Amino acid sequence: MLKGILAISGKPGLFKLITNAKNSIIVESLIDGKRMPAYTSSKISSLEDISIFTLDGDVKLADVFASIFEKNLKVEPKKASSNELKNAFKEALPDYDEERVYLSDIKKVFSWYNILKEKEIITPETIEELKKTDEAADEKSGED
């Protein structure tokens, strides 16, 4: 679901990886569709690799998005108060570590979720696929 979706520090929104170039990668904005190079000097994070701190470990961002989707949480981070954001996030991820997950992180999660949902990257089908992948991974780790 999140494969090839990137966040670039200092740039608003999310980007889709298009291709590798000589000293950069070419990305396309999910907001306006414009393509641009992203250089190694920029802090680039793949959403696939991001996790959220919880009291007993961490949870992949995709699982947090799935929880937001399943609970049908509709949060507009620019309009919501700090308490509304924290309460909604606590509903999605009840055991998140409140000392290590900042309000700015929560705003980003909801903002990214809204972009991905609007662009139909998060759909009932992708959530179902994610659950199957997680169940298979749980079964495999149980075999060890």
Side-chain angles (χ1 to χ4, degrees):
M1 169 172 73
L2 300 179
K3 194 167 179 64
I5 305 294
L6 309 171
I8 301 174
S9 184
K11 304 273 186 215
L14 294 172
F15 300 85
K16 180 169 53 171
L17 174 64
I18 301 300
T19 190
N20 291 319
K22 189 172 182 180
N23 295 321
S24 64
I25 56 173
I26 305 301
V27 296
E28 180 178 283
S29 169
L30 290 180
I31 295 174
D32 61 16
K34 290 184 180 170
R35 291 187 178 191
M36 64 177 210
Y39 298 96
T40 53
S41 58
S42 302
K43 186 173 183 316
I44 302 169
S45 303
S46 169
L47 264 54
E48 199 174 32
D49 298 334
I50 296 175
S51 294
I52 303 294
F53 294 116
T54 64
L55 298 174
D56 52 292
D58 50 358
V59 173
K60 288 185 176 283
L61 185 58
D63 294 329
V64 176
F65 287 156
S67 178
I68 293 170
F69 183 86
E70 288 169 350
K71 292 180 184 344
N72 200 24
L73 300 174
K74 291 179 172 58
V75 177
E76 199 51 58
K78 290 182 180 171
K79 296 178 183 172
S81 71
S82 300
N83 282 340
E84 289 172 322
L85 285 164
K86 288 178 183 177
N87 290 339
F89 199 70
K90 195 159 208 55
E91 190 174 334
L93 189 61
D95 64 338
Y96 84 93
D97 188 335
E98 295 181 40
E99 290 182 13
R100 298 194 306 174
V101 178
Y102 302 108
L103 185 61
S104 59
D105 300 325
I106 294 170
K107 282 183 177 179
K108 252 186 235 174
V109 168
F110 281 115
S111 155
W112 290 346
Y113 172 81
N114 291 342
I115 291 169
L116 294 171
K117 190 151 189 292
E118 180 186 321
K119 297 298 177 183
E120 297 182 354
I121 293 169
I122 293 179
T123 63
E125 293 77 22
T126 58
I127 296 299
E128 194 58 40
E129 192 177 303
L130 174 69
K131 282 179 157 179
K132 287 179 184 170
T133 306
D134 283 351
E135 287 170 10
D138 287 347
E139 288 173 14
K140 188 171 174 76
S141 67
E143 294 172 2
D144 294 339

